[in-house]
Amino acid sequence: MTIAPELLHRILEGALLAAEQPLSEEKLLSLLHKEEQPSKATLRDALEDIAQSCAGRGFELKRVASGWRFQVPEDLAPWVNLLWEEKAQKYSRATLETLAIIAYRQPVTRSDIEEIRGVAVSSQIVKSLSERGWIKVVGQRDVPGKPSLYATTREFLDYFNLCSLDELPTLAEIRDIETLTQLLNQDSPPAGDDEGDSAEPDKAACEGRVRAEERISDGPEASPEEASSEAGANGAPVVTPPEAVLVDTTDAVPTEAAVSTNPEAGDGSGQ
């Protein structure tokens, strides 16, 4: 006998509030006994009903790459963020450029990124993005030296409230890295503080950055099928509106502008 709709709603709400990460529909179904499980369509309708019931409230139910989660709406972030003294991490121009190139041209090697940017890519930038869980190695290119291929991850997609690469804005919508910085509410670092970006002549660096966007535009847009099967629809560039602040039901002290019910945004890497 299928579970009653009212009880299904309550179970879904309780599970999503208690979860430490977004929950997939398969995971939500697994919480019910086999004879009680509704169809996936019925489950989706129940989740949509809950999402609609949150309209105009201080929290919302949002679907991201890893599943569904409760979070604080973006427009309330300026106030909710005041609960924590620690400021959100700021990312340098070099980091944003590198991240955007990986997202739109993945999978790519460091040499691909350097060719587009016109300057050498610091190992620290790649390391910091990897440690943040936003990019990962998905293979090696079959050329001498076997350079690593990088792609964005599902955790990165979750962080920016996206479900797939199809939701990425077009390059026509985002024309320069300064716009990306503004959308992220991040301040560019002072000159010379580019997260260890390899030193190059100022003129070359400027010309390289001017060419970066043009070269991204010239190349074909990456599709979920073109990124490796592990990467899948697994990454989002820094081109979305400021991320939402998620409902914090734990005692963990958040370290990012987004404050999630989960200490870390998912563990997947692709759809």
Side-chain angles (χ1 to χ4, degrees):
M1 180 178 179
T2 305
I3 193 168
E6 296 80 6
L7 180 56
L8 176 61
H9 280 62
R10 293 182 61 206
I11 292 173
L12 294 177
E13 290 174 344
L16 290 166
L17 280 171
E20 295 183 347
Q21 60 187 7
L23 297 179
S24 66
E25 293 174 9
E26 291 74 17
K27 181 63 175 178
L28 289 168
L29 282 174
S30 72
L31 301 178
L32 304 171
H33 296 299
K34 231 173 186 180
E35 62 273 10
E36 296 178 326
Q37 289 182 0
S39 65
K40 287 190 175 182
T42 300
L43 177 70
R44 177 71 62 83
D45 289 341
L47 290 166
E48 295 290 353
D49 287 344
I50 295 172
Q52 291 178 13
S53 70
C54 296
R57 305 187 68 179
F59 58 92
E60 63 184 2
L61 180 60
K62 179 77 175 182
R63 186 187 180 198
V64 293
S66 297
W68 295 77
R69 67 186 179 193
F70 278 116
Q71 63 185 35
V72 173
E74 294 176 9
D75 60 324
L76 300 183
W79 294 276
V80 177
N81 279 344
L82 296 178
L83 288 171
W84 300 277
E85 295 181 0
E86 187 171 351
K87 301 300 181 182
Q89 181 178 349
K90 297 185 185 300
Y91 299 98
S92 72
R93 183 189 184 102
T95 299
L96 299 183
E97 288 178 350
T98 300
L99 200 50
I101 291 169
I102 293 174
Y104 278 99
R105 299 294 295 275
Q106 60 186 297
V108 295
T109 64
R110 283 183 60 175
S111 61
D112 295 331
I113 300 170
E114 290 171 350
E115 181 181 355
I116 293 172
R117 290 193 62 225
V119 293
V121 176
S122 167
S123 297
Q124 182 58 38
I125 289 177
V126 176
K127 180 180 178 182
S128 65
L129 291 175
S130 297
E131 290 178 345
R132 183 65 182 81
W134 288 353
I135 67 171
K136 75 169 190 174
V137 175
V138 294
Q140 284 74 40
R141 181 165 292 169
D142 190 16
V143 296
K146 301 287 185 180
S148 296
L149 289 165
Y150 294 95
T152 47
T153 66
R154 178 174 290 182
E155 287 177 305
F156 182 60
L157 200 64
D158 289 346
Y159 188 82
F160 290 97
N161 281 337
L162 298 174
C163 291
S164 72
L165 289 174
D166 294 335
E167 297 183 10
L168 301 181
T170 64
L171 292 172
E173 294 176 278
I174 304 298
R175 300 308 304 169
D176 55 54
I177 297 299
E178 294 298 341
T179 303
L180 306 187
T181 303
Q182 293 172 12
L183 290 176
L184 275 173
N185 277 346
Q186 307 291 353
D187 297 325
S188 295
D193 183 21
D194 217 12
E195 278 196 18
D197 213 4
S198 299
E200 296 287 343
D202 290 344
K203 181 178 179 181
C206 292
E207 291 177 349
R209 285 163 178 161
V210 169
R211 293 196 303 268
E213 184 203 29
E214 297 174 353
R215 295 190 183 182
I216 296 177
S217 300
D218 291 340
E221 291 190 14
S223 67
E225 293 75 23
E226 292 171 330
S228 76
S229 59
E230 286 196 28
N234 60 352
V238 285
V239 292
T240 61
E243 62 276 11
V245 180
L246 312 184
V247 177
D248 184 13
T249 60
T250 71
D251 294 328
V253 178
T255 58
E256 300 291 336
V259 182
S260 174
T261 55
N262 48 304
E264 298 177 357
D267 58 359
S269 57
Q271 289 185 217

PDB file of all heavy atoms in Angstrom, residues 74 96 160 169-170 173-187 237-244:
ATOM      1  N   GLU A  74      18.724  33.434  -1.644  1.00  0.00           N
ATOM      2  CA  GLU A  74      19.867  34.313  -1.906  1.00  0.00           C
ATOM      3  C   GLU A  74      19.662  35.725  -1.375  1.00  0.00           C
ATOM      4  O   GLU A  74      20.590  36.364  -0.887  1.00  0.00           O
ATOM      5  CB  GLU A  74      20.136  34.388  -3.413  1.00  0.00           C
ATOM      6  CG  GLU A  74      20.601  33.081  -4.021  1.00  0.00           C
ATOM      7  CD  GLU A  74      20.759  33.175  -5.521  1.00  0.00           C
ATOM      8  OE1 GLU A  74      20.672  34.308  -6.046  1.00  0.00           O
ATOM      9  OE2 GLU A  74      20.963  32.141  -6.173  1.00  0.00           O
ATOM     10  N   LEU A  96      39.674  32.949 -10.921  1.00  0.00           N
ATOM     11  CA  LEU A  96      38.393  33.006 -11.622  1.00  0.00           C
ATOM     12  C   LEU A  96      38.554  32.718 -13.104  1.00  0.00           C
ATOM     13  O   LEU A  96      37.729  32.020 -13.711  1.00  0.00           O
ATOM     14  CB  LEU A  96      37.750  34.380 -11.418  1.00  0.00           C
ATOM     15  CG  LEU A  96      37.436  34.779  -9.980  1.00  0.00           C
ATOM     16  CD1 LEU A  96      36.732  36.119  -9.938  1.00  0.00           C
ATOM     17  CD2 LEU A  96      36.590  33.715  -9.300  1.00  0.00           C
ATOM     18  N   PHE A 160      26.922  26.342  -6.719  1.00  0.00           N
ATOM     19  CA  PHE A 160      26.314  27.449  -7.445  1.00  0.00           C
ATOM     20  C   PHE A 160      24.871  27.185  -7.836  1.00  0.00           C
ATOM     21  O   PHE A 160      24.336  27.806  -8.749  1.00  0.00           O
ATOM     22  CB  PHE A 160      27.165  27.794  -8.670  1.00  0.00           C
ATOM     23  CG  PHE A 160      28.471  28.427  -8.295  1.00  0.00           C
ATOM     24  CD1 PHE A 160      29.628  27.668  -8.216  1.00  0.00           C
ATOM     25  CD2 PHE A 160      28.546  29.773  -7.961  1.00  0.00           C
ATOM     26  CE1 PHE A 160      30.830  28.242  -7.838  1.00  0.00           C
ATOM     27  CE2 PHE A 160      29.740  30.344  -7.582  1.00  0.00           C
ATOM     28  CZ  PHE A 160      30.879  29.583  -7.515  1.00  0.00           C
ATOM     29  N   PRO A 169      25.367  29.943 -18.068  1.00  0.00           N
ATOM     30  CA  PRO A 169      25.053  31.086 -18.929  1.00  0.00           C
ATOM     31  C   PRO A 169      25.946  31.065 -20.147  1.00  0.00           C
ATOM     32  O   PRO A 169      27.053  30.523 -20.114  1.00  0.00           O
ATOM     33  CB  PRO A 169      25.338  32.301 -18.031  1.00  0.00           C
ATOM     34  CG  PRO A 169      26.304  31.805 -17.023  1.00  0.00           C
ATOM     35  CD  PRO A 169      25.960  30.359 -16.785  1.00  0.00           C
ATOM     36  N   THR A 170      25.479  31.634 -21.229  1.00  0.00           N
ATOM     37  CA  THR A 170      26.293  31.679 -22.436  1.00  0.00           C
ATOM     38  C   THR A 170      27.392  32.716 -22.275  1.00  0.00           C
ATOM     39  O   THR A 170      27.303  33.628 -21.438  1.00  0.00           O
ATOM     40  CB  THR A 170      25.440  32.048 -23.655  1.00  0.00           C
ATOM     41  OG1 THR A 170      24.924  33.384 -23.473  1.00  0.00           O
ATOM     42  CG2 THR A 170      24.275  31.077 -23.820  1.00  0.00           C
ATOM     43  N   GLU A 173      26.459  36.288 -22.350  1.00  0.00           N
ATOM     44  CA  GLU A 173      25.888  36.887 -21.137  1.00  0.00           C
ATOM     45  C   GLU A 173      26.970  37.381 -20.188  1.00  0.00           C
ATOM     46  O   GLU A 173      26.766  38.304 -19.425  1.00  0.00           O
ATOM     47  CB  GLU A 173      25.011  35.865 -20.406  1.00  0.00           C
ATOM     48  CG  GLU A 173      23.769  35.459 -21.170  1.00  0.00           C
ATOM     49  CD  GLU A 173      22.996  34.387 -20.435  1.00  0.00           C
ATOM     50  OE1 GLU A 173      23.361  33.210 -20.547  1.00  0.00           O
ATOM     51  OE2 GLU A 173      22.024  34.743 -19.737  1.00  0.00           O
ATOM     52  N   ILE A 174      28.112  36.721 -20.200  1.00  0.00           N
ATOM     53  CA  ILE A 174      29.217  37.091 -19.315  1.00  0.00           C
ATOM     54  C   ILE A 174      30.394  37.499 -20.186  1.00  0.00           C
ATOM     55  O   ILE A 174      31.046  36.663 -20.787  1.00  0.00           O
ATOM     56  CB  ILE A 174      29.619  35.907 -18.411  1.00  0.00           C
ATOM     57  CG1 ILE A 174      28.417  35.423 -17.623  1.00  0.00           C
ATOM     58  CG2 ILE A 174      30.746  36.302 -17.480  1.00  0.00           C
ATOM     59  CD1 ILE A 174      27.837  36.456 -16.673  1.00  0.00           C
ATOM     60  N   ARG A 175      30.690  38.774 -20.227  1.00  0.00           N
ATOM     61  CA  ARG A 175      31.668  39.267 -21.187  1.00  0.00           C
ATOM     62  C   ARG A 175      33.075  39.413 -20.640  1.00  0.00           C
ATOM     63  O   ARG A 175      34.018  39.526 -21.394  1.00  0.00           O
ATOM     64  CB  ARG A 175      31.229  40.641 -21.745  1.00  0.00           C
ATOM     65  CG  ARG A 175      29.902  40.609 -22.454  1.00  0.00           C
ATOM     66  CD  ARG A 175      29.854  39.533 -23.518  1.00  0.00           C
ATOM     67  NE  ARG A 175      30.921  39.664 -24.493  1.00  0.00           N
ATOM     68  CZ  ARG A 175      31.221  38.742 -25.384  1.00  0.00           C
ATOM     69  NH1 ARG A 175      30.581  37.604 -25.392  1.00  0.00           N
ATOM     70  NH2 ARG A 175      32.198  38.937 -26.253  1.00  0.00           N
ATOM     71  N   ASP A 176      33.264  39.468 -19.347  1.00  0.00           N
ATOM     72  CA  ASP A 176      34.620  39.620 -18.827  1.00  0.00           C
ATOM     73  C   ASP A 176      34.706  39.116 -17.401  1.00  0.00           C
ATOM     74  O   ASP A 176      33.703  38.887 -16.734  1.00  0.00           O
ATOM     75  CB  ASP A 176      35.086  41.089 -18.888  1.00  0.00           C
ATOM     76  CG  ASP A 176      34.128  42.020 -18.185  1.00  0.00           C
ATOM     77  OD1 ASP A 176      33.819  41.767 -16.997  1.00  0.00           O
ATOM     78  OD2 ASP A 176      33.694  42.995 -18.810  1.00  0.00           O
ATOM     79  N   ILE A 177      35.923  38.938 -16.954  1.00  0.00           N
ATOM     80  CA  ILE A 177      36.168  38.397 -15.626  1.00  0.00           C
ATOM     81  C   ILE A 177      35.711  39.356 -14.532  1.00  0.00           C
ATOM     82  O   ILE A 177      35.313  38.947 -13.453  1.00  0.00           O
ATOM     83  CB  ILE A 177      37.663  38.068 -15.456  1.00  0.00           C
ATOM     84  CG1 ILE A 177      38.059  36.980 -16.447  1.00  0.00           C
ATOM     85  CG2 ILE A 177      37.974  37.601 -14.037  1.00  0.00           C
ATOM     86  CD1 ILE A 177      37.302  35.669 -16.271  1.00  0.00           C
ATOM     87  N   GLU A 178      35.747  40.671 -14.804  1.00  0.00           N
ATOM     88  CA  GLU A 178      35.278  41.633 -13.805  1.00  0.00           C
ATOM     89  C   GLU A 178      33.806  41.375 -13.480  1.00  0.00           C
ATOM     90  O   GLU A 178      33.369  41.482 -12.345  1.00  0.00           O
ATOM     91  CB  GLU A 178      35.462  43.064 -14.318  1.00  0.00           C
ATOM     92  CG  GLU A 178      36.925  43.484 -14.501  1.00  0.00           C
ATOM     93  CD  GLU A 178      37.700  43.465 -13.202  1.00  0.00           C
ATOM     94  OE1 GLU A 178      37.072  43.487 -12.122  1.00  0.00           O
ATOM     95  OE2 GLU A 178      38.934  43.426 -13.266  1.00  0.00           O
ATOM     96  N   THR A 179      33.029  41.028 -14.517  1.00  0.00           N
ATOM     97  CA  THR A 179      31.619  40.730 -14.288  1.00  0.00           C
ATOM     98  C   THR A 179      31.471  39.497 -13.409  1.00  0.00           C
ATOM     99  O   THR A 179      30.631  39.442 -12.514  1.00  0.00           O
ATOM    100  CB  THR A 179      30.905  40.493 -15.633  1.00  0.00           C
ATOM    101  OG1 THR A 179      31.069  41.650 -16.457  1.00  0.00           O
ATOM    102  CG2 THR A 179      29.416  40.236 -15.419  1.00  0.00           C
ATOM    103  N   LEU A 180      32.321  38.496 -13.658  1.00  0.00           N
ATOM    104  CA  LEU A 180      32.268  37.293 -12.833  1.00  0.00           C
ATOM    105  C   LEU A 180      32.530  37.639 -11.376  1.00  0.00           C
ATOM    106  O   LEU A 180      31.886  37.141 -10.462  1.00  0.00           O
ATOM    107  CB  LEU A 180      33.324  36.279 -13.305  1.00  0.00           C
ATOM    108  CG  LEU A 180      33.314  35.870 -14.779  1.00  0.00           C
ATOM    109  CD1 LEU A 180      34.307  34.739 -14.997  1.00  0.00           C
ATOM    110  CD2 LEU A 180      31.936  35.455 -15.218  1.00  0.00           C
ATOM    111  N   THR A 181      33.512  38.499 -11.163  1.00  0.00           N
ATOM    112  CA  THR A 181      33.870  38.887  -9.809  1.00  0.00           C
ATOM    113  C   THR A 181      32.703  39.573  -9.113  1.00  0.00           C
ATOM    114  O   THR A 181      32.391  39.301  -7.959  1.00  0.00           O
ATOM    115  CB  THR A 181      35.086  39.829  -9.829  1.00  0.00           C
ATOM    116  OG1 THR A 181      36.166  39.175 -10.506  1.00  0.00           O
ATOM    117  CG2 THR A 181      35.522  40.185  -8.423  1.00  0.00           C
ATOM    118  N   GLN A 182      32.030  40.474  -9.826  1.00  0.00           N
ATOM    119  CA  GLN A 182      30.900  41.188  -9.233  1.00  0.00           C
ATOM    120  C   GLN A 182      29.771  40.224  -8.897  1.00  0.00           C
ATOM    121  O   GLN A 182      29.142  40.323  -7.844  1.00  0.00           O
ATOM    122  CB  GLN A 182      30.406  42.251 -10.204  1.00  0.00           C
ATOM    123  CG  GLN A 182      31.408  43.381 -10.418  1.00  0.00           C
ATOM    124  CD  GLN A 182      30.970  44.321 -11.525  1.00  0.00           C
ATOM    125  OE1 GLN A 182      29.834  44.265 -11.980  1.00  0.00           O
ATOM    126  NE2 GLN A 182      31.878  45.180 -11.966  1.00  0.00           N
ATOM    127  N   LEU A 183      29.501  39.271  -9.782  1.00  0.00           N
ATOM    128  CA  LEU A 183      28.423  38.328  -9.547  1.00  0.00           C
ATOM    129  C   LEU A 183      28.704  37.439  -8.342  1.00  0.00           C
ATOM    130  O   LEU A 183      27.800  36.972  -7.664  1.00  0.00           O
ATOM    131  CB  LEU A 183      28.202  37.452 -10.788  1.00  0.00           C
ATOM    132  CG  LEU A 183      27.600  38.168 -11.999  1.00  0.00           C
ATOM    133  CD1 LEU A 183      27.524  37.233 -13.184  1.00  0.00           C
ATOM    134  CD2 LEU A 183      26.216  38.704 -11.667  1.00  0.00           C
ATOM    135  N   LEU A 184      29.973  37.203  -8.086  1.00  0.00           N
ATOM    136  CA  LEU A 184      30.352  36.373  -6.945  1.00  0.00           C
ATOM    137  C   LEU A 184      30.495  37.171  -5.658  1.00  0.00           C
ATOM    138  O   LEU A 184      30.786  36.620  -4.608  1.00  0.00           O
ATOM    139  CB  LEU A 184      31.688  35.671  -7.230  1.00  0.00           C
ATOM    140  CG  LEU A 184      31.593  34.363  -8.017  1.00  0.00           C
ATOM    141  CD1 LEU A 184      32.972  33.868  -8.364  1.00  0.00           C
ATOM    142  CD2 LEU A 184      30.870  33.321  -7.205  1.00  0.00           C
ATOM    143  N   ASN A 185      30.332  38.505  -5.758  1.00  0.00           N
ATOM    144  CA  ASN A 185      30.562  39.358  -4.599  1.00  0.00           C
ATOM    145  C   ASN A 185      31.978  39.199  -4.064  1.00  0.00           C
ATOM    146  O   ASN A 185      32.218  39.214  -2.864  1.00  0.00           O
ATOM    147  CB  ASN A 185      29.562  39.053  -3.474  1.00  0.00           C
ATOM    148  CG  ASN A 185      28.251  39.763  -3.688  1.00  0.00           C
ATOM    149  OD1 ASN A 185      28.146  40.669  -4.506  1.00  0.00           O
ATOM    150  ND2 ASN A 185      27.234  39.348  -2.961  1.00  0.00           N
ATOM    151  N   GLN A 186      32.916  38.999  -4.962  1.00  0.00           N
ATOM    152  CA  GLN A 186      34.306  38.854  -4.559  1.00  0.00           C
ATOM    153  C   GLN A 186      35.070  40.090  -5.026  1.00  0.00           C
ATOM    154  O   GLN A 186      34.795  40.633  -6.087  1.00  0.00           O
ATOM    155  CB  GLN A 186      34.947  37.611  -5.204  1.00  0.00           C
ATOM    156  CG  GLN A 186      34.182  36.329  -4.996  1.00  0.00           C
ATOM    157  CD  GLN A 186      34.230  35.889  -3.556  1.00  0.00           C
ATOM    158  OE1 GLN A 186      34.944  36.483  -2.760  1.00  0.00           O
ATOM    159  NE2 GLN A 186      33.489  34.858  -3.220  1.00  0.00           N
ATOM    160  N   ASP A 187      36.037  40.506  -4.236  1.00  0.00           N
ATOM    161  CA  ASP A 187      36.887  41.624  -4.616  1.00  0.00           C
ATOM    162  C   ASP A 187      38.175  41.100  -5.199  1.00  0.00           C
ATOM    163  O   ASP A 187      38.796  40.217  -4.644  1.00  0.00           O
ATOM    164  CB  ASP A 187      37.214  42.494  -3.401  1.00  0.00           C
ATOM    165  CG  ASP A 187      35.973  43.116  -2.819  1.00  0.00           C
ATOM    166  OD1 ASP A 187      35.067  43.454  -3.589  1.00  0.00           O
ATOM    167  OD2 ASP A 187      35.920  43.243  -1.578  1.00  0.00           O
ATOM    168  N   PRO A 237      30.778  27.316 -13.833  1.00  0.00           N
ATOM    169  CA  PRO A 237      31.769  28.366 -13.706  1.00  0.00           C
ATOM    170  C   PRO A 237      31.298  29.414 -12.744  1.00  0.00           C
ATOM    171  O   PRO A 237      30.157  29.393 -12.295  1.00  0.00           O
ATOM    172  CB  PRO A 237      31.850  28.943 -15.131  1.00  0.00           C
ATOM    173  CG  PRO A 237      30.458  28.764 -15.627  1.00  0.00           C
ATOM    174  CD  PRO A 237      29.969  27.480 -15.010  1.00  0.00           C
ATOM    175  N   VAL A 238      32.160  30.362 -12.498  1.00  0.00           N
ATOM    176  CA  VAL A 238      31.823  31.408 -11.547  1.00  0.00           C
ATOM    177  C   VAL A 238      31.056  32.490 -12.265  1.00  0.00           C
ATOM    178  O   VAL A 238      31.485  33.629 -12.344  1.00  0.00           O
ATOM    179  CB  VAL A 238      33.101  31.964 -10.916  1.00  0.00           C
ATOM    180  CG1 VAL A 238      33.635  30.989  -9.907  1.00  0.00           C
ATOM    181  CG2 VAL A 238      34.154  32.243 -11.974  1.00  0.00           C
ATOM    182  N   VAL A 239      29.917  32.150 -12.819  1.00  0.00           N
ATOM    183  CA  VAL A 239      29.173  33.104 -13.607  1.00  0.00           C
ATOM    184  C   VAL A 239      27.715  33.172 -13.175  1.00  0.00           C
ATOM    185  O   VAL A 239      26.907  33.771 -13.838  1.00  0.00           O
ATOM    186  CB  VAL A 239      29.237  32.743 -15.103  1.00  0.00           C
ATOM    187  CG1 VAL A 239      30.628  32.939 -15.620  1.00  0.00           C
ATOM    188  CG2 VAL A 239      28.794  31.303 -15.329  1.00  0.00           C
ATOM    189  N   THR A 240      27.394  32.536 -12.077  1.00  0.00           N
ATOM    190  CA  THR A 240      26.031  32.570 -11.601  1.00  0.00           C
ATOM    191  C   THR A 240      25.872  33.655 -10.556  1.00  0.00           C
ATOM    192  O   THR A 240      26.852  34.184 -10.045  1.00  0.00           O
ATOM    193  CB  THR A 240      25.669  31.210 -10.983  1.00  0.00           C
ATOM    194  OG1 THR A 240      26.548  30.975  -9.894  1.00  0.00           O
ATOM    195  CG2 THR A 240      25.803  30.105 -12.002  1.00  0.00           C
ATOM    196  N   PRO A 241      24.635  34.005 -10.211  1.00  0.00           N
ATOM    197  CA  PRO A 241      24.435  34.998  -9.154  1.00  0.00           C
ATOM    198  C   PRO A 241      25.036  34.515  -7.860  1.00  0.00           C
ATOM    199  O   PRO A 241      25.349  33.333  -7.716  1.00  0.00           O
ATOM    200  CB  PRO A 241      22.891  35.075  -9.061  1.00  0.00           C
ATOM    201  CG  PRO A 241      22.415  34.594 -10.387  1.00  0.00           C
ATOM    202  CD  PRO A 241      23.412  33.549 -10.818  1.00  0.00           C
ATOM    203  N   PRO A 242      25.193  35.405  -6.896  1.00  0.00           N
ATOM    204  CA  PRO A 242      25.775  34.990  -5.599  1.00  0.00           C
ATOM    205  C   PRO A 242      25.037  33.787  -5.058  1.00  0.00           C
ATOM    206  O   PRO A 242      23.822  33.724  -5.089  1.00  0.00           O
ATOM    207  CB  PRO A 242      25.571  36.229  -4.711  1.00  0.00           C
ATOM    208  CG  PRO A 242      25.470  37.352  -5.670  1.00  0.00           C
ATOM    209  CD  PRO A 242      24.795  36.790  -6.903  1.00  0.00           C
ATOM    210  N   GLU A 243      25.814  32.814  -4.572  1.00  0.00           N
ATOM    211  CA  GLU A 243      25.217  31.572  -4.115  1.00  0.00           C
ATOM    212  C   GLU A 243      24.310  31.797  -2.914  1.00  0.00           C
ATOM    213  O   GLU A 243      24.454  32.724  -2.159  1.00  0.00           O
ATOM    214  CB  GLU A 243      26.313  30.567  -3.725  1.00  0.00           C
ATOM    215  CG  GLU A 243      27.189  31.024  -2.592  1.00  0.00           C
ATOM    216  CD  GLU A 243      28.302  31.915  -3.082  1.00  0.00           C
ATOM    217  OE1 GLU A 243      28.258  32.329  -4.239  1.00  0.00           O
ATOM    218  OE2 GLU A 243      29.198  32.210  -2.292  1.00  0.00           O
ATOM    219  N   ALA A 244      23.333  30.870  -2.766  1.00  0.00           N
ATOM    220  CA  ALA A 244      22.421  30.966  -1.639  1.00  0.00           C
ATOM    221  C   ALA A 244      23.121  30.538  -0.364  1.00  0.00           C
ATOM    222  O   ALA A 244      24.079  29.809  -0.375  1.00  0.00           O
ATOM    223  CB  ALA A 244      21.204  30.067  -1.892  1.00  0.00           C
TER     224      ALA A 244
END
